[in-house]
Amino acid sequence: MRMLFLLLLVSSLFGQIAQAAISEGEYTELIALFQKHYPDIQIQGSWDNDTVNAQAMRFDDSKLIVIYGGLARERTTTLDSFTLVVCHEVGHHLGDKPYFPSMAGVPWASGEGAADYYSIQSCFNKLAPAVGEQAVTLPAVYENDLRQICSGQSNTAICRRSLIAGLIIAKLQWQVLPNESNEPSLQRKDDSIVKSTLLDYGSPQCRLDTFIASATSTSRPRCWSP
């Protein structure tokens, strides 16, 4: 997840969770949880590495995800946002087309949008019941938006958690280059329509739209998938 190399301060909206981070024990437990659910992928931690990132890699037929300790120590990280980041990396291995071109062999890494689309409906929803929930109190307008978006889902609590995590991630991406796009919001969408499928990230709003589509099992947003 290359965006995470450039994390800046989280917006004041998430001030109540800005100092969350996760402990080494929680980090280790989450890695073990992912390894249990995805035994065909080697989930490797590197707690002493301060890089704020997680990466999906492949060596021949071996699938690998490396999760650096800096991601856990980043002050905006919550248990759910950490889980969603790693689910995104799982999506690079197990998600659908489009795939990044491969320098050698058959392409294997799902594009960024495809990995985001995989992340909630095929991963986060499965792992969330085993992940400790952190209490998050949001302004009423956000709670109303989340309630409306998640109203038709079988588990509205997990839908809410996944979208709060997705909103945090999208806002962090936006804060890297805030002058290049509008702040992502649950109340609008990226109305752009691409002519060809994007492999890299779309706008922060497009990412949030993709998380919403994944959580609600609706079509891929046209801001990255025509």
Side-chain angles (χ1 to χ4, degrees), residues 11 16-17 30 32 38 61 74 81-82 94 102 111 119 129 145 158-159 164 166 187 189 201 204 214 226:
S11 68
Q16 58 268 66
I17 58 175
L30 285 170
Y38 298 98
D61 293 329
E74 160 58 39
S81 67
F82 182 95
L94 302 181
S102 176
S119 64
D145 292 339
I158 288 180
C159 176
I164 291 173
Q187 296 185 332
K189 293 184 179 297
Y201 293 117
S214 181

Side-chain angles (χ1 to χ4, degrees), residues 3-189:
M3 174 273 294
L4 289 172
F5 278 118
L6 301 173
L7 290 182
L8 299 180
L9 294 178
V10 73
S11 68
S12 59
L13 172 63
F14 296 103
Q16 58 268 66
I17 58 175
Q19 300 297 331
I22 63 176
S23 68
E24 184 175 3
E26 290 168 328
Y27 167 87
T28 301
E29 289 176 1
L30 285 170
I31 289 175
L33 178 66
F34 273 94
Q35 192 64 80
K36 176 182 177 181
H37 282 271
Y38 298 98
D40 294 336
I41 303 175
Q42 181 183 354
I43 313 293
Q44 179 178 312
S46 183
W47 176 257
D48 293 331
N49 189 315
D50 288 330
T51 304
V52 185
N53 195 25
Q55 291 181 292
M57 293 174 273
R58 191 162 181 169
F59 301 97
D60 297 325
D61 293 329
S62 298
K63 303 180 182 72
L64 173 67
I65 292 174
V66 178
I67 309 166
Y68 301 109
L71 176 62
R73 289 187 291 275
E74 160 58 39
R75 70 188 186 91
T76 63
T77 296
T78 66
L79 294 172
D80 283 343
S81 67
F82 182 95
T83 300
L84 188 56
V85 167
V86 183
C87 280
H88 170 93
E89 301 305 330
V90 172
H92 280 308
H93 282 299
L94 302 181
D96 204 349
K97 298 177 180 178
Y99 301 110
F100 283 107
S102 176
M103 296 296 293
V106 178
W108 63 270
S110 293
E112 302 298 351
D116 278 343
Y117 191 69
Y118 177 95
S119 64
I120 292 178
Q121 63 180 335
S122 298
C123 179
F124 186 92
N125 288 349
K126 179 167 64 175
L127 271 64
V131 176
E133 182 178 3
Q134 291 171 296
V136 177
T137 302
L138 299 177
V141 63
Y142 277 79
E143 292 290 3
N144 291 338
D145 292 339
L146 290 166
R147 190 177 302 112
Q148 181 176 359
I149 293 169
C150 295
S151 61
Q153 303 310 302
S154 58
N155 192 318
T156 56
I158 288 180
C159 176
R160 175 183 180 274
R161 288 170 57 187
S162 71
L163 292 184
I164 291 173
L167 187 58
I168 291 171
I169 292 170
K171 283 180 177 289
L172 289 170
Q173 179 183 345
W174 169 74
Q175 288 181 357
V176 173
L177 296 170
N179 295 325
E180 295 192 3
S181 62
N182 292 324
E183 182 176 1
S185 169
L186 294 168
Q187 296 185 332
R188 62 171 165 266
K189 293 184 179 297

Side-chain angles (χ1 to χ4, degrees), residues 190-198 206 209-210 213 219-226:
D190 184 332
D191 293 326
S192 63
I193 300 176
V194 296
K195 294 182 179 179
S196 59
T197 304
L198 293 181
C206 185
D209 294 348
T210 304
S219 300
R220 297 177 173 198
R222 299 185 71 187
C223 53
W224 69 267
S225 181

